Amino acid sequence: MRMLLKVSIPVETGNEAARNGTLGSTLQKILADLKPEAAYFSEDNGERTGYVFFDMTKSSELPAIAEPFFLAFNAKITVRPAMNLQDLADSGPAIDHAVKNFRPAGA
């Protein structure tokens, strides 16, 4: 299943890694193991933040995905399922089913 991993690196931890020259190489090493479909980096709430799309086949893979970010950067993460446009198109019958079978109370 395609997943979206949001990784937020605390400012001080990120600054220290940048100063000692390990920020980029550590991220590259973690991502090489993860083999993401895509990875984007930005700022969110004043922290260095990565948005990483990857495939997870079993929930037991989560520690191997999360722990490197925790250990290397004291990072905060969120992980959630994500859809691309084709996935959304494929979900049409399920959306139609919900529309037909579930209405707001009193409607």
Side-chain angles (χ1 to χ4, degrees), residues 32-104:
D33 288 343
L34 188 53
K35 298 176 182 66
E37 176 183 324
Y40 300 94
F41 300 91
S42 186
E43 169 281 332
D44 187 41
N45 291 319
E47 295 181 324
R48 292 171 178 92
T49 303
Y51 300 91
V52 182
F53 294 87
F54 68 98
D55 186 59
M56 186 168 74
T57 57
K58 298 184 291 186
S59 58
S60 62
E61 297 171 27
L62 189 55
I65 292 160
E67 290 299 331
F69 292 104
F70 293 151
L71 294 168
F73 299 114
N74 195 33
K76 291 180 252 170
I77 70 161
T78 58
V79 181
R80 59 188 46 140
M83 294 188 291
N84 65 17
L85 188 56
Q86 185 60 53
D87 297 330
L88 183 59
D90 293 346
S91 72
I95 294 170
D96 291 342
H97 175 78
V99 167
K100 289 175 187 165
N101 293 291
F102 299 96
R103 305 223 183 264

Side-chain angles (χ1 to χ4, degrees), residues 8-15 46-48 73-76:
S8 297
I9 300 172
V11 173
E12 287 306 316
T13 306
N15 287 351
E47 295 181 324
R48 292 171 178 92
F73 299 114
N74 195 33
K76 291 180 252 170

